[in-house]
Amino acid sequence: MKTYWEIFVAFFIPGIVGYGGGPASIPLVENEVVDRFNWMSVTDFSEMLAMANALPGPIATKMAGFIGFEQGGFLGLFIALFATVAPSLILMIALLSLLMKHKDSPKVKNMTMLIRPTIAILLGVMAFSFFQTSYMDSGLLQMLGIAIISYVLMERIHVHPAFVILGSLVYGALFLG
């Protein structure tokens, strides 16, 4: 019973405070799953995140489904998915009319603009953690090479990130495994 409650908490809290969509909730989920409940290592979390990014669909629900199933079977999967979508669903139902009424308000626009630096810091801290574990696991040259090639493919050549992630997984399986 404790595990199901922990699964609910691990995904409900990021769902409540993860303003800005799925990417904003990734560091929050990592904090719950890796640091608080010790269900995964940073390396396992980053590998799960890479696979989740390579598949279609929202990232938060894919992470919740996988981790919930790993921790509590099908009931854990259902609880994690519910905990992930429930905050947004409840807030959307409760606040939709209020938000639509004030969507052009300068205060509302400023509020959403001012939260962006916080989200950027959360993502930056998580990216730094991923660079650290990648450096320790595969070395500086592998890490920098994959990072530079990924940047060029996604930002200069405009290859879809899913293909870049799949290519990195294949490279890792062939040359680093």
Side-chain angles (χ1 to χ4, degrees), residues 4 17 47 51 82 120 123 132 144 157 160:
Y4 295 129
V17 298
E47 290 172 358
M51 285 298 291
F82 176 75
L123 291 172
Q132 276 185 317
L144 284 178
I157 303 175
H160 193 279

Side-chain angles (χ1 to χ4, degrees), residues 55-111:
L55 299 172
I59 187 72
T61 54
K62 288 182 284 188
M63 290 189 312
F66 177 78
I67 296 167
F69 182 78
E70 286 285 313
Q71 295 304 312
F74 284 107
L75 184 57
L77 179 150
F78 175 77
I79 290 169
L81 287 176
F82 176 75
T84 299
V85 299
S88 297
L89 187 63
I90 293 167
L91 287 175
M92 187 154 171
I93 291 169
L95 300 176
L96 187 60
S97 63
L98 183 65
L99 190 62
M100 293 305 289
K101 186 176 178 182
H102 299 287
K103 71 178 182 181
D104 295 325
S105 164
K107 287 184 179 179
V108 172
K109 288 183 178 179
N110 285 340
M111 182 181 74

